[in-house]
Amino acid sequence: MIQIEDLRLIEALSQSASLSAAARMLNVTPPALSARLRKLEATLGLALATRTSRQLSLTAEGERLAREGSALLAQLDALPESFRREDKRLTGTLRISAPFGYGRHHVAPVLARFGLLHPDLKLQLELRETPWPDKHDSDAVIHVGAVRDSSWIARPLAPNDRWLCASPAYLQRHGTPTEPHALLQHRCICIRENDEDASLWRFRRRAKTSTKVASATSRRAPARDSVRVVPAYTTNDGSVAREWAEQGLGLVLRSEWDTRDAVAAGRLVRVLADWDFDSAPVTLLVPTRRGRTARLQALMAFLEEALATSAAVRRPTRSTRPEGPAGARL
């Protein structure tokens, strides 16, 4: 007979690249986990995983057991909420994933406040280079940037423009570009994240407002254009790219949330401010399955209010109503 511990075992294996990683997740030793896996395979008469000295992967039967077992575990974890007391305290565990930089500076403080409001709730925040829900076991994912196709629901949290910046020293040495195609003559710092084309920078000139009634033609949004820059430096860490720009190594196209303080302090200067580069909105990704738990619903509402309010404080002169990202279901 399959036990709950067996389901948690196969779930951990499905989320881990090695037996050792799965053992750490379950807080057991690798030999103990290996013995439990052999016992489960003997019980079922099936091979559930293939393992080498460096890698572990599930067989088709193992993937099926992990998928159906995870669904059963989710139902079991949610069961206590259906019997929760009249005080409606939130219990159980919430697993949240977020990018390193934004997660550290913005999501973690919000979760700390949320945790203080719900002391019986266990919160797990995992910071990843490129979090994406279809590949990981999370209840909610904070995503920064364009949303690719996913079976999860996208809920806008906050706008986030990308600013083109350089240090005063760099601009003094190399001059300030006056239009985007002039970037071809400059040293550029590129960030490779979320499988984006790092060296293709898209932009459009910001539309000028007028008090006069505009014609239908003049009301059209300016056409989008792009420039293929030649990277002088490339990294997969946005904070490193910003620090390189502060050190005078080149121009960087980086999220407003990460550059605003450096610009305010004079370490960076925003250039080409009359052009809008592709934005990187902050989005909350949650499962499409029905019957979301009360704890997840509460977290969604708290994140939406806290991060939208934070964006409004940072950007008092701009509208803070976030746009729905292309390709996402709202």
Side-chain angles (χ1 to χ4, degrees), residues 128-151:
R128 298 173 177 145
E129 180 182 323
T130 53
W132 195 248
D134 297 338
K135 298 180 181 179
H136 301 286
D137 179 32
S138 301
D139 297 301
V141 172
I142 308 296
H143 180 76
V144 179
V147 175
R148 307 188 305 271
D149 289 338
S150 173
S151 60

Side-chain angles (χ1 to χ4, degrees), residues 59-194:
T59 63
E61 292 79 7
E63 290 179 351
R64 178 187 171 189
L65 181 60
R67 184 171 58 253
E68 297 183 8
S70 293
L72 289 173
L73 288 172
Q75 293 179 24
L76 287 173
D77 289 341
L79 187 59
E81 291 202 31
S82 63
F83 298 100
R84 64 184 182 272
R85 291 160 34 177
E86 290 184 359
D87 59 11
K88 295 186 178 180
R89 286 186 296 174
L90 297 181
T91 61
T93 302
L94 273 175
R95 297 159 293 190
I96 304 98
S97 298
F100 280 107
Y102 191 84
R104 186 180 300 116
H105 294 287
H106 292 275
V107 179
V110 172
L111 289 182
R113 298 200 301 271
F114 183 72
L116 290 174
L117 294 175
H118 306 286
D120 295 324
L121 192 62
K122 298 178 181 177
L123 295 175
Q124 297 178 3
L125 174 62
E126 184 168 355
L127 301 181
R128 298 173 177 145
E129 180 182 323
T130 53
W132 195 248
D134 297 338
K135 298 180 181 179
H136 301 286
D137 179 32
S138 301
D139 297 301
V141 172
I142 308 296
H143 180 76
V144 179
V147 175
R148 307 188 305 271
D149 289 338
S150 173
S151 60
W152 284 39
I153 295 291
R155 300 174 68 98
L157 289 179
N160 178 37
D161 289 343
R162 281 191 174 111
W163 286 5
L164 184 65
C165 299
S167 71
Y170 175 88
L171 297 176
Q172 184 176 9
R173 289 196 307 269
H174 300 280
T176 302
T178 57
E179 56 92 18
H181 288 285
L183 297 175
L184 295 174
Q185 310 304 319
H186 282 266
R187 299 177 66 80
C188 296
I189 303 168
C190 292
I191 306 167
R192 296 194 179 278
E193 57 185 358
N194 298 334

Side-chain angles (χ1 to χ4, degrees), residues 9 19-34 36:
L9 165 67
L19 203 67
S20 298
R24 288 193 297 271
M25 184 180 296
L26 295 175
N27 197 27
V28 299
T29 64
L33 187 144
S34 183
R36 286 172 53 185

Side-chain angles (χ1 to χ4, degrees), residues 43-55:
T43 299
L44 297 175
L46 296 169
L48 298 175
T50 57
R51 21 204 198 278
T52 65
S53 58
R54 294 185 177 181
Q55 192 173 11

Side-chain angles (χ1 to χ4, degrees), residues 311-330:
V313 170
R314 295 196 310 271
R315 308 174 67 188
T317 62
R318 297 281 299 273
S319 170
T320 59
R321 188 173 68 89
E323 298 178 358
R329 295 185 296 166
L330 304 182

Side-chain angles (χ1 to χ4, degrees), residues 204 207-210 212-223:
R204 62 161 54 97
K208 295 181 179 179
T209 58
S210 174
K212 296 181 180 180
V213 177
S215 66
T217 301
S218 64
R219 286 199 302 267
R220 293 174 184 167

